[in-house]
Amino acid sequence: MTTALVTGATAGLGAAFARALAAERRDLVLVARDAERLSATASDLRDRFSVDVEVLPADLASVDGCELVEKRLADASRPVELLVNNAGIGLRDAFLENPIEDEERMLALNVRAVMRLTHAAVPGMVTRGHGDVLNVASVAGFGVTAPGSTYSATKAWVITFSESVHLTLRQHGVRVSAVCPGFVRTEFHSRAAIPTENIPDVLWLDADDVVRDALADLRRGRPTSVSSVRYKVLGGIVRYAPRPVFLRLIGRAARTVGR
């Protein structure tokens, strides 16, 4: 069996990735902050899919947490063939309304941890001549979002980073892809206290569908994965619309929200 390591593995997309990979008969290394919930998730996956599941309780917003997981990724005697960088957070308010400590934590988790874990995993993959990295970004990373949240900036970094590393490593048999979902029914928004009651039902995605599409796109060698036709269209508009026009529209939206 091959082994996959999934961060943020106890809920949402992380849990969906863990289930899908266990169903493929992959052994797992699961990473999350909540040790008790992590152990329960691992036990359920072992019972349901008869795979080996290792747990690593770690806070990836800290250097110590990253170093713990980096050490496991660099262990050549127990190679990790697929890294899923899923752990991440968002903030409800605009940049100037957030404590700088919250902004720094988001940057550390959404950006620094993705960079460090990828950097730890890919040398062994290059040596073996194969391996995969999935970095969970967002369609929000394709453009600026109102009312000025810096979450979109962190996800823009993940997209550009993934595309760049993909171009560097594909000649070595290593595939890297950024997963860019829209609104997914997970704990993400409630944890950040982000209101969702005004989001139309048509914009919500199922976590299992996003994971299925992400794994399929990775195997096709695509550097980005956007789930569903509606988000492919919306993401394309955000990404490729003339910048001055798009910024004017977002500016109007921000003024409306601020009223």
Side-chain angles (χ1 to χ4, degrees):
M1 287 187 181
T2 59
T3 298
L5 187 148
V6 183
T7 70
T10 57
L13 285 175
F17 270 113
R19 289 193 301 271
L21 295 170
E24 293 181 354
R25 311 295 295 171
R26 291 180 185 256
D27 290 333
L28 298 171
V29 182
L30 304 183
V31 180
R33 285 192 301 164
D34 188 331
E36 184 176 348
R37 195 174 184 185
L38 196 58
S39 295
T41 300
S43 179
D44 175 64
L45 292 171
R46 292 188 194 104
D47 292 344
R48 290 174 61 188
F49 300 103
S50 299
V51 295
D52 182 64
V53 186
E54 178 184 350
V55 296
L56 283 180
D59 180 0
L60 294 176
S62 72
V63 172
D64 288 346
C66 283
E67 287 179 344
L68 177 67
V69 181
E70 288 165 36
K71 183 177 180 180
R72 176 63 182 86
L73 288 166
D75 187 346
S77 67
R78 298 180 296 163
V80 171
E81 305 292 347
L82 169 60
L83 166 63
V84 181
N85 278 313
N86 166 73
I89 56 173
L91 299 175
R92 170 178 177 167
D93 296 320
F95 176 65
L96 294 180
E97 297 170 8
N98 292 321
I100 192 61
E101 294 80 9
D102 290 350
E103 291 285 346
E104 287 187 327
R105 179 173 178 81
M106 182 171 67
L107 194 66
L109 185 57
N110 293 11
V111 173
R112 185 181 67 189
V114 172
M115 177 183 65
R116 291 187 62 136
L117 269 55
T118 302
H119 193 270
V122 296
M125 295 177 180
V126 169
T127 298
R128 294 187 295 272
H130 56 87
D132 298 312
V133 178
L134 274 172
N135 295 323
V136 176
S138 169
V139 291
F142 291 146
V144 179
T145 57
S149 167
T150 50
Y151 172 79
S152 60
T154 69
K155 294 306 183 180
W157 184 92
V158 172
I159 294 168
T160 302
F161 170 74
S162 301
E163 291 175 338
S164 176
V165 178
H166 165 80
L167 293 174
T168 303
L169 297 180
R170 62 181 179 177
Q171 62 184 318
H172 300 289
V174 179
R175 300 174 294 195
V176 181
S177 182
V179 184
C180 302
F183 293 108
V184 185
R185 294 195 184 279
T186 68
E187 298 175 5
F188 176 85
H189 297 91
S190 60
R191 285 184 175 183
I194 297 172
T196 60
E197 58 271 13
N198 293 327
I199 299 172
D201 288 342
V202 70
L203 292 181
W204 287 103
L205 301 174
D206 179 77
D208 292 325
D209 292 339
V210 173
V211 167
R212 180 200 62 219
D213 293 343
L215 292 172
D217 286 339
L218 176 71
R219 287 156 188 159
R220 295 185 184 106
R222 294 177 177 171
T224 57
S225 174
V226 181
S227 189
S228 85
V229 172
R230 55 193 179 278
Y231 275 110
K232 284 181 171 65
V233 173
L234 289 171
I237 292 171
V238 173
R239 196 173 197 184
Y240 300 115
R243 205 67 175 173
V245 173
F246 182 72
L247 290 175
R248 281 199 300 273
L249 292 173
I250 290 296
R252 291 173 185 170
R255 288 192 295 273
T256 300
V257 170
R259 288 174 183 170

